[in-house]
Amino acid sequence: MTTSRSGPKLAKIAETIGVSTATVSNALSGKGRVSDELAARIRRKADELGYVASSAGRALRTGRSGVIGLVLPDIANPLFPQIAQAIEHAATQAGYGVLIGDSRGEIGMQTEAIGRLVERGVDGMVVVPRRGTRVIDIDCPVAVIDTPSTPGNTVSADHFGGGELVARHLAALGHRRVLLVGANRESNVQNDRLAGMRSVSELRTETLWLDERWYEAGQGGTLSLAEKMREGFTAIATVSDMQALRALTELQRNGWRIPEDVSVTGFDDLPWTSIITPSLTSVRMDMARIAGIAIEVLCAAILDPAKIDQTDRKTLRAPIQTVAMTLVERNSTAPPPIRDETAFKGELA
Amino acid sequence: MTTSRSGPKLAKIAETIGVSTATVSNALSGKGRVSDELAARIRRKADELGYVASSAGRALRTGRSGVIGLVLPDIANPLFPQIAQAIEHAATQAGYGVLIGDSRGEIGMQTEAIGRLVERGVDGMVVVPRRGTRVIDIDCPVAVIDTPSTPGNTVSADHFGGGELVARHLAALGHRRVLLVGANRESNVQNDRLAGMRSVSELRTETLWLDERWYEAGQGGTLSLAEKMREGFTAIATVSDMQALRALTELQRNGWRIPEDVSVTGFDDLPWTSIITPSLTSVRMDMARIAGIAIEVLCAAILDPAKIDQTDRKTLRAPIQTVAMTLVERNSTAPPPIRDETAFKGELA
DNA sequence: CTGAAAGCGCTTACAG
DNA sequence: CTGAAAGCGCTTACAG
């Protein structure tokens, strides 16, 4: 028996078995208005004939499509696979399909992508904004996954807490001077992570933004991170595994040993963190949990439109939920090197 | 004017303007059965009222949902973002939405994922199989993106040619002894890439599979790749950027300089290839082109079911298309080190 | 417990 | 060029 898109219809089942379509519908939906024996007989026959309900017919009648949209302004986000998988799984559990919406990295196209999803009749959507983009005027329930400090946020990882975790870990190992590395000054996520790191008082930190401005200042080139390190830092804590990978390979290439000479940490626990040498200490978010909450809140809003806050741009009127992050300790961190800090400072000249 | 899912219906527009719904429908679909002035007036009013056609109504009437499925057995595949983005873009251009289907890496769940998409009424699907899984009994048009050597394939990158490209590049630099690194013996993609590499006669190659068997043989551990290199190889050509990253960091960690001591190449041109030090020479596939072809063939089959080959499991009856790959030369490759090969062999003891 | 009927919103022959 | 009517396949009050 093959699943089939143009197979028998409800009426066919009803006719074959000699009952009304209403009864078949009730039997199949299990609403219990049909005697057990008959219901069983109908189900058997439906299976036998390979019946698959028409989603169009159902959607037209019920007014709900059973599909939600997943919007990521930047699908190239390295976390995308994890997010997509978690959302797809949670949505499937809740009986929803997931339509993807991409704006190819261009902020202007986000509205179009969202519009396309609305046209396709999604019942709601999950939006993971990037770079402070805001969700505007969407006339359907929207769950936002960003940071606790983002207005309109629905659920997010505790990025601040994650930063704290990393900083505490380094402090516990004995590090005192830590170089913080960010990539995008506008990112709420990155700023929250950095704020968390800075909140650990044992550490003296300094922040380096490896962004366009840094390049423009002519500080790019192979050696500059290594040079910066000579100022006496014993560890680099980055806001993403990508930045950590960058720092790790650049330092290795310049003869630094990790973690003996310098500890390096990342964020997000991307798939390659454990295959590199040394494997990367990182912080993971519980995507399954976050996705589960987003879908749960979204479904509640879909079923009960009163949950949509009319005054506040249709965002969900649910308490913002924050999910703790977890430190994944690996080989890229170790106690600080035994060395005279002033000696290193001297090398600067 | 906000896009709206529960806004005015066709009948509302018709009533407001004083024409029949048929005329509104014709005007909006631009089939040209309506006078230009009236059509323009209708369009203006529809815009003004924020009319969005009900996809359910249309789907039920036309028998087509305007949605296709994208199935990746392993959504954690690092290429997923690229594939998803390219497919989403091509599908959007063709007027289709994209529903994602994931089987969470478990082969057994692939059929379920496909079944769910069929239930949701997709008009067709794009499947990127992994590890020799086959597409079975799907009663809708399917375009398969795999390798030219996979039965039922629709379109794919020329993985063999990509392997050749890498090998020729290394040969042209002067390399003669190259270690080939694979990760999964079952993968058609990897085997095609390796076959292409081996086809370049100037090179003496040997293949190392860094898979479960290798680990079981007790050859894991930090130094073994480095040890293997002492047999006289001057370059490592891997079947994926992940393996290249692994080799690169492991060798760097053990004091090898890349590319001075050994050249390393990857495959797929993942986002981080250019941020690591040294940046990684890789091979990229033209995803946009591949996705474009897949969608084109799929749409043709959707519109003309005769294109579906009944005898051959519903796969598309279109000529298999192969898209050339491109070498992206970066800093991880250089002429072979000047050294006495026998001397290195001696070091083994 | 079961059935007859209405209707979700569209598009498409068919008339005029 | 425009309209009246049918019908896509379902579900849901409403009767019985």
Side-chain angles (χ1 to χ4, degrees), chain A residues 3-33:
Chain A
T3 44
S4 149
R5 60 192 179 113
S6 51
K9 315 303 174 193
L10 245 194
K12 175 73 179 174
I13 315 275
E15 188 196 358
T16 314
I17 239 172
V19 293
S20 74
T21 59
T23 299
V24 177
S25 176
N26 281 323
L28 259 29
S29 66
K31 291 234 170 57
R33 288 189 264 254

Side-chain angles (χ1 to χ4, degrees), chain A residues 44-95:
Chain A
R44 218 176 312 120
K45 180 58 80 181
D47 271 2
E48 185 188 322
L49 297 174
Y51 172 71
V52 176
S54 151
S55 52
R58 176 175 297 162
L60 182 56
R61 174 64 227 227
T62 63
R64 283 186 287 109
S65 63
V67 173
I68 62 169
L70 173 60
V71 183
L72 292 109
D74 190 1
I75 219 172
N77 184 325
L79 272 175
F80 178 58
Q82 285 182 48
I83 297 173
Q85 181 158 42
I87 293 288
E88 199 270 350
H89 188 239
T92 299
Q93 296 292 334

Side-chain angles (χ1 to χ4, degrees), chain A residues 141-203:
Chain A
V142 177
V144 177
I145 302 180
D146 197 347
T147 70
S149 61
T150 306
N153 185 65
T154 309
V155 56
S156 66
D158 179 9
H159 299 286
F160 184 99
E164 250 186 301
L165 235 40
V166 166
R168 286 239 181 77
H169 171 62
L170 291 173
L173 287 171
H175 292 273
R176 289 299 171 261
R177 292 270 287 139
V178 177
L179 181 64
L180 273 30
V181 173
N184 179 357
R185 287 168 220 255
E186 254 92 75
S187 160
N188 287 328
V189 168
Q190 294 188 19
N191 280 307
D192 281 11
R193 289 173 178 181
L194 290 171
M197 293 175 186
R198 292 189 199 107
S199 76
V200 173
S201 56
E202 291 96 319
L203 263 31

Side-chain angles (χ1 to χ4, degrees), chain A residues 63-143:
Chain A
R64 283 186 287 109
S65 63
V67 173
I68 62 169
L70 173 60
V71 183
L72 292 109
D74 190 1
I75 219 172
N77 184 325
L79 272 175
F80 178 58
Q82 285 182 48
I83 297 173
Q85 181 158 42
I87 293 288
E88 199 270 350
H89 188 239
T92 299
Q93 296 292 334
Y96 284 91
V98 179
L99 216 39
I100 58 178
D102 179 30
S103 39
R104 320 201 89 217
E106 294 165 51
I107 306 149
M109 288 180 66
Q110 187 174 347
T111 316
E112 295 168 40
I114 291 172
R116 258 179 263 133
L117 292 177
V118 172
E119 279 171 27
R120 291 241 134 64
V122 297
D123 294 333
M125 43 190 145
V126 174
V127 178
V128 186
R130 212 163 147 82
R131 316 196 177 187
T133 48
R134 268 169 311 172
V135 179
I136 28 86
D137 300 276
I138 307 171
D139 192 18
C140 76
V142 177

Side-chain angles (χ1 to χ4, degrees), chain B residues 40-56:
Chain B
R41 197 146 60 90
I42 290 173
R43 268 192 297 273
R44 218 175 315 120
K45 181 59 77 182
D47 271 4
E48 185 188 322
L49 298 174
Y51 171 71
V52 175
S54 150
S55 53

Side-chain angles (χ1 to χ4, degrees), chain B:
Chain B
M1 177 220 67
T2 305
T3 44
S4 147
R5 64 197 176 108
S6 53
K9 316 305 174 194
L10 245 192
K12 174 75 179 174
I13 315 276
E15 187 195 357
T16 314
I17 238 172
V19 293
S20 73
T21 60
T23 298
V24 176
S25 175
N26 281 323
L28 259 29
S29 66
K31 291 235 170 56
R33 285 189 266 254
V34 188
S35 68
D36 288 349
E37 317 118 276
L38 181 54
R41 197 146 60 90
I42 290 173
R43 268 192 297 273
R44 218 175 315 120
K45 181 59 77 182
D47 271 4
E48 185 188 322
L49 298 174
Y51 171 71
V52 175
S54 150
S55 53
R58 177 174 296 161
L60 182 56
R61 174 63 225 229
T62 63
R64 282 184 289 111
S65 63
V67 173
I68 62 169
L70 172 60
V71 183
L72 291 110
D74 189 2
I75 219 172
N77 183 326
L79 272 175
F80 178 59
Q82 285 182 48
I83 296 174
Q85 181 158 41
I87 292 288
E88 200 270 351
H89 187 240
T92 299
Q93 295 293 333
Y96 284 90
V98 179
L99 216 40
I100 58 178
D102 178 30
S103 39
R104 321 203 87 216
E106 293 165 52
I107 305 149
M109 289 180 66
Q110 187 174 347
T111 315
E112 293 169 41
I114 290 173
R116 259 179 262 133
L117 292 176
V118 171
E119 279 171 29
R120 291 238 136 60
V122 297
D123 294 333
M125 44 188 140
V126 174
V127 178
V128 185
R130 212 162 146 83
R131 314 194 179 188
T133 49
R134 267 169 311 172
V135 180
I136 27 86
D137 301 276
I138 307 171
D139 192 19
C140 78
V142 177
V144 177
I145 302 179
D146 196 347
T147 69
S149 61
T150 306
N153 185 66
T154 308
V155 55
S156 67
D158 180 9
H159 299 286
F160 183 97
E164 250 186 301
L165 235 40
V166 166
R168 286 241 181 78
H169 171 63
L170 291 173
L173 287 171
H175 292 275
R176 290 300 172 260
R177 292 269 288 139
V178 177
L179 181 64
L180 273 31
V181 173
N184 179 356
R185 285 167 223 256
E186 256 93 74
S187 161
N188 286 328
V189 168
Q190 294 189 19
N191 280 307
D192 282 10
R193 291 174 177 181
L194 290 171
M197 294 175 187
R198 291 189 200 108
S199 75
V200 173
S201 56
E202 291 97 317
L203 263 33
R204 280 171 57 210
T205 64
E206 188 174 325
T207 307
L208 185 63
W209 290 100
L210 299 184
D211 57 5
E212 299 76 10
R213 264 195 258 174
W214 183 71
Y215 287 110
E216 280 163 16
Q219 301 197 48
T222 315
L223 277 170
S224 57
L225 223 196
E227 276 166 8
K228 185 74 191 167
M229 287 307 293
R230 293 225 185 82
E231 293 177 18
F233 300 102
T234 62
I236 299 182
T238 69
V239 296
S240 77
D241 286 342
M242 294 282 271
Q243 297 303 316
L245 178 61
R246 175 181 177 167
L248 190 146
T249 55
E250 184 175 331
L251 290 175
Q252 268 189 344
R253 166 74 190 172
N254 287 288
W256 296 67
R257 292 177 61 82
I258 296 159
E260 293 86 345
D261 299 334
V262 53
S263 287
V264 175
T265 68
F267 241 105
D268 288 339
D269 199 32
L270 297 183
W272 44 260
T273 47
S274 53
I275 72 158
I276 62 174
T277 305
S279 58
L280 184 63
T281 292
S282 192
V283 178
R284 89 163 51 230
M285 45 206 234
D286 188 345
M287 263 310 178
R289 182 104 192 284
I290 291 172
I293 293 172
I295 294 297
E296 188 185 16
V297 172
L298 190 58
C299 290
I302 290 169
L303 298 176
D304 176 12
K307 289 232 168 76
I308 302 175
D309 189 339
Q310 296 301 329
T311 59
D312 187 17
R313 292 298 190 198
K314 306 293 189 331
T315 51
L316 303 188
R317 193 192 273 158
I320 295 170
Q321 300 195 52
T322 304
V323 176
M325 300 191 88
T326 316
L327 181 76
V328 185
E329 195 180 335
R330 295 204 187 86
N331 300 330
S332 68
T333 51
I338 301 162
R339 70 187 187 205
D340 182 357
E341 195 177 303
T342 48
F344 267 79
K345 275 184 182 150
E347 274 186 41
L348 260 180

